[in-house]
Each structure stands twice: as C-alpha cells, then as structure tokens.
Amino acid sequence: MKFEDYNISYEVKKGLDALGFKKPTDIQFKSIPPILKGEDVLAIAQTGTGKTAAFAIPILSILQEYKKNQSRDDGVKCLVMVPTHELAIQISEVFNKLGKYTRVTTYALFGGVEQDPQIKELNEGVDILVATPGRMFDLVSQGYLRLHRINTLILDEADHMLDLGFIKDIEDLVKKLPKSRQTLFFSATINDYIKSLAYSLVKNAIRIQISPKDPVSKNVTHSVMFIEMDDKRFFLERIVNEHPESKILVFVRTKVRAERVKAAMARVAIESETIHGDKEQASRLEVMKKFANGEIKLLIATDVSARGIDIPGVEYVVNYDLPDVSENYVHRVGRTGRGFNKGVAISFCSEEEKPILEEIETFLAKPIQVIGMDKRDYNSTIEFTADVDNDWKKLLKDAEKEEYKPKKRK
Ligand code: ADP
Ligand code: MG
C-alpha cells in the first residue's frame, strides 16, 4: 500500500511526497491505522525503521483535520517526550517537514538555553511540543505551559524514558494530563519490567507492534575484533585510512577517553571531533551539524548521543570500547544502516572487556561474529601506524633486528 492510498489528510500526503516517502515501512504500516483510531500503542521496531514518521504521520493528520474547523489556537495537543536536546530538535524537524503544508505547528523545547524566547513561542501557539523533561517541568511550574489540552502523549525511546532517571518525571507528568488521552510508546528495545510500567500508564489495552527477535537492525552487519586496550588506536587509524571517504562514528566509554582518542588520531594526522556530556549545548549541536553535512568525517562520541539520532550517511560505527549497558550496543550500531541504507559496525574487545561482550551476546540471544586475525595481521596493523613518536614497539623491533644482524667485517 502506498501513502497516497492512505486515509490521511491531503496536506500530510503533500509533505510525504516532498520528502520522497512513497510507501510505509513495516512499523509505519502497522502503527498508523491504530493511532488514527485513537488507540494506545506500544511499538517496538529496530533502529532506523522510521518510527518517527510512524507517529508523526497520523498525529499530523489528526491535528490538521481538527484545525480546519478551529479558528483559534487552544494550546498544546500533543506532547512528545525525548531524552536529549538533539533528539528534540531532530524529531521536531521531522514533524515540521512532514507538516510543511499543514496548519499544525511543532516546537522543540529543551534546557540549557534562555527560556524567554521559548515562552514567547509557546504563547504564539504550539500544537505539538517535543520536549526533554527538565525545561518542560520548569515552564509548567512557572505557569507558562499548560498541559490540560493534551490528547496524545508520545514517549520516544520509551524504555529509556521509563527507566530510573526519568520515570519519576513521567509519572508526575501523567498526573497532570487529561485521563482520556492517547498514549504511544516507541522504542527499539524493551524489557518485561519496562513493558509492565508502560501498561501501568495507560487505561486501554495496548497494541504491541513488531517485536523483532533480533534487536539489531537487519541492515547492519556487525562483528567484533579482539584487540588489546593499548592497541585500539592503531586499529582505528587503520579503519579510517582504509575508508578515507566514509563517515565513521566511534563510541568510547568516557568523556576523557573521547578526548584521548581524538588526540591519538590528531598525532597521526587524522582529523576528528568529539561529542559528550561535558560539552556546551551549542558546541554539541555545531559538531552534530558538521558531521551531518560531512564537514567532519570522524566523530568520537559517548553514549549520550547514541539514542535515536538520525545522521545521514554514517557508513561505519566503531565500538572503540564496548558499552557498559547491553542495550546500548543495539542503539550504537543502529546509527548506521538507517532507512533503506546498509551499514557496518565493528567492536573492539580487549581481554578485560570479554565479560561485557558475553553480556551483550546474552542480550542479543546470539553470538556476534568474530573477525579472526593471526598474529602477523595484528602486528602489521600496529607497525603501519603513522604515529612516529609513540611507535616504541616498532622501534624496539627494529633495534632487535639490528642486534641480530650479522655484522659485516670490513
Ligand atoms: P527510528 O526512529 O526507527 O530509528 P527514524 O524515524 O529516525 O528511525 O528514521 C530513519 C530514517 O528512515 C530517516 O532518515 C527517515 O528519513 C527514513 N524514513 C522513514 N520513513 C521512511 C519511508 N516511509 N520511506 C523512506 N524513508 C523513510
Ligand atoms: Mg527514533
């Protein structure tokens, strides 16, 4: 079935057309009809399968039809809760693009910036608010934002939004919303505990959509290499040099390591940027923009930015360090292979990370393919580094060779 055959508003179809979206992805096919009917939905579908449009299309359509009979704005109708600023911006952009020909307005609300312009924007009339919890609650408690008109609550990255850090916020929020609302949950990963929490937040039976057996997107080929901690930089150097034109996203465990890997790459004349929680919001957005438009080819990130981010054309994801939380493996490798594109993910696993690898494999319910390497291959990667100053291993080896050379007598 094509979008043109859908029972959605003409203006949304025009938006879909402008984006070049012709037919729905699986999750869109399954969730659009129940959402249009007003049902509660819990949708689990792999990364990059178009979950944003799966809720944006029906919500925009409903609100567009509603607004046709409405002469004045009467408050926020739909609230989308997301974990990060980046995601708030990205999702509001999807609503704005799809809703370009509608009268529906969407606004992204997040902290770390002045609130006065946000209040002004809200006063001018916002139908769909995409928000992180902190700033939203600030504005509610100051009386600038009212939630009593909200018909639809959407939790994107739902398992994360219902997890320890956010659950209190969400429970408080739900108390302030009309009881008769529609609630939608979208995520690539979920567990039974979170599922029961989700059920506790809704009145009606939830429709469960696609629950993939393998949470890793089928568009992503992923494998692991066994590499010692101190050698990881040489292998990253090699991957970057072998794919000079590719956009590569590298995940590390900590902010400090992100900066260290950047410095290690700089020593071998490879340019990169970092993104992590210690960076100013403005500089995070700037870096993301440069990576999205290809000005930066190598981005080194902590998990902070993994969830939900849709960067065009990321061909490789490198897990320089394995993630501490197993489901983050799925979210990290899911930054490639998005939409109809294919992607490759490679994880570096050191001796001390082997227990983490085991946990991830248990979570995935299957082993990750191992890229085998004999000693010679391994050592040749290390020897080929352009890092002259730090190349003590090669120097030592050269020295050894020198020693064993039979000395010629004159
Ligand atoms: P998810 O939230 O499932 O990880 P996104 O909503 O971020 O995925 O979408 C992933 C990519 O797929 C985006 O780049 C989006 O533009 C593209 N996409 C979504 N729906 C369609 C469609 N129906 N046809 C073509 N591309 C689509
Ligand atoms: Mg998403």
Side-chain angles (χ1 to χ4, degrees):
M1 194 159 149
K2 291 187 176 151
F3 281 127
E4 57 189 21
D5 304 322
Y6 268 71
N7 190 17
I8 50 177
S9 83
Y10 166 72
E11 291 80 5
V12 175
K13 285 184 184 176
K14 265 179 79 173
L16 283 161
D17 206 40
L19 281 180
F21 290 8
K22 301 225 160 7
K23 57 182 179 62
T25 63
D26 289 351
I27 191 65
Q28 290 162 5
F29 181 76
K30 292 213 173 150
S31 20
I32 292 172
I35 296 175
L36 283 172
K37 276 194 229 146
E39 288 178 37
D40 292 335
V41 167
L42 169 68
I44 309 300
Q46 292 170 329
T47 55
T49 54
K51 291 189 284 294
T52 318
F55 55 77
I57 293 167
I59 295 299
L60 281 167
S61 181
I62 292 168
L63 290 179
Q64 168 67 0
E65 294 310 308
Y66 171 82
K67 289 202 92 174
K68 278 182 183 164
N69 309 313
Q70 206 69 11
S71 55
R72 55 184 198 91
D73 283 309
D74 56 357
V76 176
K77 297 287 175 312
C78 170
L79 174 63
V80 188
M81 297 303 296
V82 295
T84 60
H85 309 191
E86 284 85 356
L87 210 47
I89 292 173
Q90 177 182 306
I91 289 180
S92 68
E93 278 173 358
V94 174
F95 272 102
N96 279 323
K97 281 182 193 158
L98 278 170
K100 188 174 169 199
Y101 303 98
T102 69
R103 288 179 52 203
V104 184
T105 53
T106 305
Y107 184 62
L109 183 73
F110 44 81
V113 293
E114 271 184 60
Q115 69 168 34
D116 288 349
Q118 297 181 327
I119 295 165
K120 188 165 165 273
E121 198 76 32
L122 288 170
N123 286 337
E124 279 169 17
V126 169
D127 300 305
I128 300 169
L129 191 64
V130 187
T132 55
R135 177 59 57 90
M136 192 206 67
F137 278 110
D138 285 351
L139 297 188
V140 170
S141 64
Q142 295 170 52
Y144 293 115
L145 173 61
R146 303 190 62 192
L147 306 172
H148 66 295
R149 290 276 187 184
I150 288 173
N151 294 323
T152 308
L153 169 67
I154 303 174
L155 302 188
D156 192 35
E157 303 299 336
D159 60 336
H160 192 48
M161 298 309 292
L162 294 174
D163 210 345
L164 290 177
F166 285 119
I167 182 64
K168 179 93 186 23
D169 285 342
I170 299 297
E171 281 172 348
D172 287 348
L173 167 69
V174 164
K175 284 184 203 139
K176 295 189 167 72
L177 298 179
K179 290 219 161 34
S180 62
R181 68 172 192 276
Q182 175 180 38
T183 310
L184 311 175
F185 304 93
F186 280 80
S187 185
T189 51
I190 196 140
N191 60 38
D192 287 342
Y193 171 68
I194 298 286
K195 210 182 272 178
S196 65
L197 265 181
Y199 273 93
S200 74
L201 293 177
V202 298
K203 241 183 16 210
N204 308 322
I206 306 178
R207 255 188 201 240
I208 297 184
Q209 310 291 341
I210 305 170
S211 280
K213 273 208 191 68
D214 185 350
V216 175
S217 163
K218 60 180 187 308
N219 288 349
V220 179
T221 310
H222 61 120
S223 45
V224 60
M225 291 164 97
F226 293 110
I227 298 173
E228 284 323 307
M229 208 47 111
D230 291 341
D231 297 335
K232 287 182 173 184
R233 59 203 170 111
F234 303 119
F235 284 84
L236 179 60
E237 177 186 355
R238 180 171 171 179
I239 291 174
V240 173
N241 285 333
E242 281 176 358
H243 307 280
E245 293 307 314
S246 301
K247 238 188 237 183
I248 304 176
L249 179 58
V250 178
F251 285 104
V252 292
R253 218 181 48 245
T254 63
K255 302 160 192 173
V256 173
R257 275 179 73 75
E259 294 304 329
R260 271 199 206 137
V261 175
K262 179 182 166 176
M265 289 302 107
R267 276 204 303 274
V268 293
I270 292 173
E271 247 186 279
S272 66
E273 263 308 337
T274 61
I275 185 162
H276 50 69
D278 268 0
K279 290 211 149 178
E280 292 278 322
Q281 188 55 34
S283 104
R284 268 165 65 171
L285 294 176
E286 180 71 23
V287 165
M288 271 299 190
K289 217 182 190 168
K290 282 190 180 164
F291 192 52
N293 69 25
E295 253 176 89
I296 301 168
K297 290 259 192 273
L298 182 63
L299 182 63
I300 303 158
T302 55
D303 280 302
V304 117
S305 43
R307 284 262 185 174
I309 292 301
D310 187 51
I311 311 151
V314 175
E315 286 166 70
Y316 292 89
V317 167
V318 178
N319 283 320
Y320 194 87
D321 300 319
L322 289 181
D324 292 330
V325 181
S326 297
E327 63 251 34
N328 283 349
Y329 180 86
V330 172
H331 293 284
R332 285 176 173 194
V333 305
R335 293 321 99 204
T336 184
R338 302 187 65 75
F340 296 108
N341 297 316
K342 300 258 177 263
V344 175
I346 299 166
S347 299
F348 295 171
C349 177
S350 66
E351 192 58 37
E352 49 272 57
E353 288 171 296
K354 281 185 176 163
I356 306 179
L357 178 65
E358 229 170 85
E359 270 176 43
I360 294 170
E361 290 181 325
T362 307
F363 176 77
L364 302 179
K366 62 164 145 186
I368 300 170
Q369 195 203 334
V370 176
I371 300 183
M373 238 183 321
D374 59 27
K375 257 221 154 69
R376 247 184 48 204
D377 261 3
Y378 190 102
N379 288 335
S380 73
T381 301
I382 298 173
E383 280 163 14
F384 269 113
T385 180
D387 193 347
V388 195
D389 294 339
N390 280 279
D391 196 8
W392 53 272
K393 282 188 184 170
K394 186 162 186 293
L395 290 179
L396 268 184
K397 241 180 220 153
D398 287 350
E400 263 173 51
K401 273 189 216 150
E402 272 314 303
E403 262 174 42
Y404 288 113
K405 255 186 210 161
K407 288 199 170 90
K408 277 185 196 159
R409 284 175 187 274
K410 276 186 187 157

